């Protein structure tokens, strides 16, 4: 692994923005871009969802900073991306998390690639395998470029997706906000009738489960981004900036969905529903945003899985990337994974909650030891 670079007196803001952008890109997947995650984890709790957004901001900022720092600190001998779990939880518990993460990542890649195919099929009436095959090819080629190139590519894509989503949310909120005065009753009725789903019956559990899933899916990749930092201040600034952008995007779309609840309740893709109402051309643009969101997530996932069994940028790594990606794509196309993945996500989220508390306890213990 690389050795620590010499600390400088000031942070490199260019590197901070690149790291924050790459982290944001890994956080923003199809669930965020389509609006489904925001509906189930935040809107389903009506006004208390604001507390969930705040919790997400704080917990993602904390965990992102810790993972960045783990990658940066002496470059921690993270021979496999998910060895970062061992840094916080020890070898035995860390190994359990490592394998839980690999299973979750593999299934997530399969479903997201299939989701890309379904999106293109819905909008352009093309066979599912066309979109799925395209997403597999472009993600595999990107992963083969290596971690440094991936960081810079995703560093540019992440903020762009977030900004577009924020603009869409603001346009929607200023156009459709008539449901705000009665949204509490409307949300309760929608949940009772199963028009919308709630991740949990409690806003705090929903928010923590959301962060827990983020930890399981992204810890290894975020730690690897941190390896590229020159000093610890850059890791803290990047995590704060990324979690701020991410939370702002969640909050804007959350408010937009509350204001237009009668329009988006029950919609499979709430953001696309709003975009079509505002302007059909905007909907076509948002299809691109959804595909970019899927791309940014599956690239980090496929890199993680391949780098867990081979060394980055080697011939073996390229073969593993191609083979594992192809197998996952085939699984996503031919097996009914919806219920299985929903179960995996919820279970992974609760494992992530436990790991978040392990991180908090370790941080408190280290702070006490330094005083």
């Amino acid at each position: 692994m690389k050795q620590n670079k010499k600390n400088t007196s000031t942070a490199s803001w260019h590197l901070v923005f690149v790291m924050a952008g790459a982290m944001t890109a890994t956080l923003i997947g199809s669930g965020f871009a389509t609006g489904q995650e925001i509906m189930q984890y935040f809107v389903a709790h009506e006004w208390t969802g604001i507390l969930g957004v705040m919790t997400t901001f704080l917990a993602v900022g904390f965990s992102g900073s810790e993972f960045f720092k783990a990658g940066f600190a002496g470059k921690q001998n993270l021979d496999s991306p998910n060895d970062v779990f061992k840094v916080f939880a020890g070898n035995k518990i860390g190994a359990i998390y490592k394998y839980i993460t690999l299973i979750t990542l593999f299934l997530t890649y399969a479903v997201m690639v299939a989701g890309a195919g379904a999106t293109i099929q819905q909008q352009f009436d093309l066979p599912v395998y066309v979109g799925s095959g395209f997403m597999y090819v472009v993600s595999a080629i990107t992963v083969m470029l290596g971690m440094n190139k991936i960081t810079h590519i995703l560093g540019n894509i992440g903020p762009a997706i977030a900004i577009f989503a924020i603009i869409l949310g603001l346009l929607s909120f200023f156009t459709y906000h008539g449901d705000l005065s009665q949204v509490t009753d409307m949300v309760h009725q929608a949940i009772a009738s199963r028009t919308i789903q709630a991740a949990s019956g409690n806003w705090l559990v929903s928010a923590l489960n959301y962060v827990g899933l983020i930890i399981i899916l992204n810890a290894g990749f975020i730690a690897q981004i941190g390896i590229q930092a020159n000093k610890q201040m850059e890791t803290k600034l990047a995590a704060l900036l990324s979690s701020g952008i991410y939370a702002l995007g969640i909050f804007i779309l959350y408010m937009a969905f509350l204001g237009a609840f009668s329009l988006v309740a029950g919609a499979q893709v709430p953001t696309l529903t709003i975009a079509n109402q505002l302007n059909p051309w905007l909907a076509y643009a948002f299809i691109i945003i959804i595909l970019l969101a899927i791309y940014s997530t599956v690239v980090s996932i496929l890199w993680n899985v391949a780098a867990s069994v081979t060394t980055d940028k080697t011939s073996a790594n390229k073969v593993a990337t191609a083979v594992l990606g192809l197998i996952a794509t085939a699984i996503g196309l031919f097996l009914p994974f919806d219920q299985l993945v929903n179960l995996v996500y919820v279970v992974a989220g609760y494992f992530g909650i436990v790991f978040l508390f392990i991180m908090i306890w370790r941080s408190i213990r280290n702070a006490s030891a330094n005083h």
Side-chain angles (χ1 to χ4, degrees):
M1 301 301 276
K2 294 164 57 178
Q3 299 298 314
N4 259 341
K5 299 176 183 176
K6 183 179 179 180
N7 282 347
T8 55
S9 58
T10 58
S12 166
W13 282 101
H14 172 72
L15 185 56
V16 168
F17 288 133
V18 169
M19 291 172 60
M23 175 175 162
T24 304
T26 66
L27 299 178
I28 294 176
S30 59
F32 174 93
T34 61
Q36 266 303 323
E37 287 179 354
I38 295 163
M39 288 291 291
Q40 294 187 28
Y41 285 92
F42 304 103
V43 174
H45 301 290
E46 27 85 24
W47 292 113
T48 56
I50 294 177
L51 299 176
V53 176
M54 294 172 61
T55 300
T56 299
F57 166 64
L58 294 173
V60 169
F62 167 76
S63 59
S65 178
E66 290 295 302
F67 291 136
F68 274 151
K69 188 165 64 176
F72 166 78
K75 316 303 185 186
Q76 287 285 3
N77 293 323
L78 301 177
D79 296 322
S80 171
N82 298 312
D83 282 345
V84 68
F85 290 107
K86 296 181 180 179
V87 173
F88 294 94
N91 288 334
K92 292 183 179 179
I93 297 176
I96 294 172
Y97 272 94
K98 180 177 178 177
Y99 292 113
I100 290 172
T101 295
L102 280 175
I103 293 170
T104 306
L105 288 170
F106 189 79
L107 293 175
T108 300
Y109 182 88
V111 172
M112 283 199 173
V113 170
T119 300
I120 290 178
Q121 180 189 47
Q122 177 178 320
Q123 195 70 16
F124 303 106
D125 198 27
L126 293 172
V128 172
Y129 63 79
V130 173
S132 296
F134 173 76
M135 188 60 68
Y136 157 65
V137 170
V138 295
S139 63
I141 289 174
T142 306
V143 169
M144 291 177 191
L145 296 176
M147 183 64 192
N148 288 341
K149 288 287 181 73
I150 293 172
T151 300
H152 283 82
I153 291 171
L154 299 189
N156 292 315
I157 290 177
I161 298 171
I163 289 170
F164 198 101
I166 288 170
I167 291 173
L168 178 69
L170 290 172
L171 287 174
S172 172
F173 183 75
F174 288 115
T175 305
Y176 310 105
H177 51 263
D179 292 341
L180 290 178
S181 60
Q182 50 189 339
V183 74
T184 298
D185 291 337
M186 294 175 72
V187 169
H188 289 169
Q189 291 172 10
I191 290 177
S193 63
R194 298 182 180 271
T195 302
I196 67 170
Q197 301 294 318
S200 166
N202 178 273
W203 67 266
L204 181 59
V205 175
S206 284
L208 290 177
N209 190 274
Y210 188 53
V211 174
L213 182 59
I214 286 173
I215 287 172
I216 295 297
L217 292 179
N218 300 298
F221 188 79
I222 293 174
Q224 293 294 315
I225 298 173
I227 288 177
Q228 301 177 49
N230 295 316
K231 60 182 303 181
Q232 191 166 307
M233 179 59 69
E234 290 167 348
T235 67
K236 294 179 179 179
L237 292 172
L240 180 63
L241 180 59
S242 177
S243 61
I245 293 171
Y246 189 55
L248 178 62
I250 292 174
F251 177 72
I252 295 296
L253 287 177
Y254 161 80
M255 290 300 298
F257 292 163
L258 288 182
F261 187 78
S262 57
L263 179 65
V264 299
Q268 291 299 307
V269 187
T271 50
L272 197 56
T273 299
I274 286 176
N276 270 306
Q277 287 292 318
L278 292 171
N279 190 300
W281 287 106
L282 189 60
Y284 281 105
F286 212 78
I287 286 289
I288 297 174
I289 294 299
I290 292 173
L291 292 176
L292 283 174
I294 295 173
Y295 165 79
S296 66
T297 302
V298 298
V299 164
S300 64
I301 288 174
L302 184 57
W303 178 88
N304 191 320
V305 173
S308 294
V309 295
T310 56
T311 302
D312 189 32
K313 293 185 71 174
T314 61
S315 297
N317 178 261
K318 292 178 181 179
V319 172
T321 297
V323 172
L324 291 171
L326 183 61
I327 293 172
T329 300
I331 290 173
L333 284 173
F334 297 112
L335 292 181
F337 259 94
D338 287 356
Q339 293 182 358
L340 173 60
V341 170
N342 284 337
L343 174 62
V344 169
Y345 274 19
V346 172
V347 172
Y350 284 115
F351 271 103
I353 292 174
V354 174
F355 194 80
L356 175 62
F357 286 117
I358 291 174
M359 293 173 67
I360 293 172
W361 168 247
R362 184 177 182 273
S363 180
I364 293 172
R365 189 183 63 187
N366 288 346
S368 299
N370 293 331
H371 287 290

